[in-house]
Amino acid sequence: MGWLGTPIRRGLGGISILKWSPTGDFFFSAKFDGTFYLWETNTWTSEPWSSSSGFVTGATWDPDGHMVLIAFSKSSTLGSVHFASKPPSLDAHLLPVDFPEITSLTGSQGIEKMAWDGTGERLALSYKDGDELYKGLIAVYDVRRNPLISVSLIGFIRGPGENPKPLAFSFHDKFKQGPLLSVNVGAVAFAAPTLSFSALMFFHKQVGGD
């Protein structure tokens, strides 16, 4: 079986993360040296970016493909890249998104993984270490985009078993009753990982009416 495609030979050495936008118009890549690239997929032109907050540990696109959230190894603040024009333009702005509870409540100094649900209204985050009460939990946030991002903490999810650690998690975007978060949890040493599901039930607010 052969491979059919167009090789890209620029800016892809030492890659740690690759993420397509939902619309396929953009492509995100990050390297271990702290640099990351935004690509437009019409002519495969890219723009390099850099960070003083360490290397990129996670990235997730909003459902519309208009912005991408980025986590860095030395910060509990996410970066939000907003595209100012329609594709194939790479005109974009990098803005901070603060999560003060990650530091004030958990004692952690960095975000490890994240997942954004298909409605764009729920964001799940895991973080490094933390004190005994919050260690190994997943923080869930309510997200508003109008058009800049604002977040508010909903609560925390703990996996099954003792000393759980979220290894991976993802939202089921087509679950009709609301966001469904699946979590792969590793517990104590030598214990087999387990998969758990958390249904985050919520209702859209209606304006007007009785």
Side-chain angles (χ1 to χ4, degrees), residues 43-59:
T43 63
W44 286 103
T45 302
S46 67
E47 288 287 342
W49 297 64
S50 62
S51 169
S52 59
S53 301
F55 62 88
V56 174
T57 59

Side-chain angles (χ1 to χ4, degrees), residues 28-103:
F28 175 89
S29 65
K31 304 173 72 171
F32 287 108
D33 63 4
T35 59
F36 57 94
Y37 291 78
L38 297 173
W39 299 76
E40 56 84 14
T41 59
N42 183 28
T43 63
W44 286 103
T45 302
S46 67
E47 288 287 342
W49 297 64
S50 62
S51 169
S52 59
S53 301
F55 62 88
V56 174
T57 59
T60 181
W61 289 89
D62 81 318
D64 300 324
H66 295 160
M67 68 184 75
V68 57
L69 285 179
I70 309 170
F72 300 97
S73 60
K74 298 180 180 179
S75 177
S76 59
T77 297
L78 296 183
S80 175
V81 176
H82 295 252
F83 288 90
S85 304
K86 295 181 180 181
S89 172
L90 287 172
D91 183 19
H93 306 284
L94 178 61
L95 302 174
V97 182
D98 292 320
F99 296 81
E101 299 85 2
I102 296 296
T103 300

Side-chain angles (χ1 to χ4, degrees), residues 130-148:
D131 60 30
E132 288 301 318
L133 181 61
Y134 290 95
K135 189 174 183 178
L137 304 188
I138 294 176
V140 180
Y141 283 83
D142 177 80
V143 180
R144 292 290 180 263
R145 299 169 292 156
N146 51 354
L148 300 182

